Amino acid sequence: MSLIYKTKIANWKWYEAESVVSTNDTVKEQVSELGNNIVISAIHQTGGRGRRGKSWQESVGNLYFTYTQKAEAQELSKIVCIVGLSLAKVIKRLSPQSDVKIKWPNDVFLEGKKMSGILLEHIQDNLWAIGIGINIVGAPILEGMSYQATSLKENGIELDRTEILRYYLKQFSEDMEEYRQNGFENIREQWLSMAKNYHQEIMVKTEKETKKGKFEDLDDNGYLILKTTQGTERIIAGDLFV
Ligand code: BTN
């Protein structure tokens, strides 16, 4: 696998590969050589990974990339929310008339369908790999899911994959700066203003169980507040269903 240095975007050195198994793995392998501030994109990704052991299918022309981010483990839930918010904001800016929503914690939905996936993994110490797949031109048929996938193209948003990469990284960099300077509150409010199923009855599947209740709030850690018949619960990680 050979990596071609492209340019710097915000604080990251951007490299592109013709083909990789998973850009998350490539970043983990390359940090010792290329440093702590890198983003690696791939034209082809043959073994893309999703959350909960699922795979992330390739569609030629879609965007696959992973970048590094420093963060303390205890602030990770907030970072997870910022990643989704930054992407949702970019899509909304490109297509203001479209319905763009964030499904907790960070799936971005366009007109009710999933258009991106985010996989955040640990690299070492306080360094994390944030991997994002964006459906630019193609969307897979999702089997056994309660929702379908869509692409930007299907919604009339025609943009080069690398332009989206630039817009996203610049937006994420700004949102992280806002968070570092002023804390999570402003981010939290923006996130809630784009949240899917906010104040609705939902189900949340955690590692251990599925819980039912009302999506009451997002707390100052980025945890979901679920109002159940037993009381109010804070959910740190899981998948949201309706
Ligand atoms: C999900 O929704 O389940 C997360 C999907 C994450 C896919 C991206 S594509 C780029 C990066 N490399 C991977 O192997 N996975 C992420």
Side-chain angles (χ1 to χ4, degrees), residues 10 108 194 223:
V108 178
M194 299 187 88
Y223 302 163

Side-chain angles (χ1 to χ4, degrees), residues 5-22:
Y5 177 69
K6 303 288 270 190
T7 185
K8 214 166 170 210
I9 309 176
N11 213 20
W12 294 272
K13 286 182 280 170
W14 170 34
Y15 294 84
E16 185 157 74
E18 175 64 28
S19 178
V20 299
V21 176
S22 155

Side-chain angles (χ1 to χ4, degrees), residues 51 76-78 80-81 104-105 204 206 219 221-225 233-239:
R51 294 172 64 216
L76 212 62
S77 301
K78 291 182 267 196
V80 163
C81 291
W104 181 81
V204 183
T206 68
D219 80 357
N221 281 310
Y223 302 163
L224 185 147
I225 309 282
E233 297 194 33
R234 272 163 215 275
I235 317 276
I236 301 174
D239 278 316

Side-chain angles (χ1 to χ4, degrees), residues 98-118:
S98 295
D99 173 44
V100 182
K101 290 269 181 317
I102 312 164
K103 182 164 84 71
W104 181 81
N106 62 12
D107 276 339
V108 178
F109 273 61
L110 180 55
E111 300 296 343
K113 296 179 178 177
K114 178 163 164 160
M115 54 126 295
S116 69
I118 295 168

Side-chain angles (χ1 to χ4, degrees), residues 54-73:
K54 293 195 198 115
S55 62
W56 186 256
Q57 253 175 269
E58 163 170 339
S59 217
V60 176
N62 282 353
L63 175 62
Y64 313 99
F65 68 98
T66 301
Y67 63 100
T68 50
Q69 178 60 45
K70 280 195 181 139
E72 302 295 328

Side-chain angles (χ1 to χ4, degrees), residues 80-90 102 105-106 108 171 175 186-188 190-191 194:
V80 163
C81 291
I82 297 172
V83 173
L85 174 67
S86 303
L87 183 55
K89 280 161 72 172
V90 167
I102 312 164
N106 62 12
V108 178
Q171 186 62 56
D175 290 334
N186 186 18
I187 297 283
R188 183 185 151 274
Q190 290 181 50
W191 190 98
M194 299 187 88

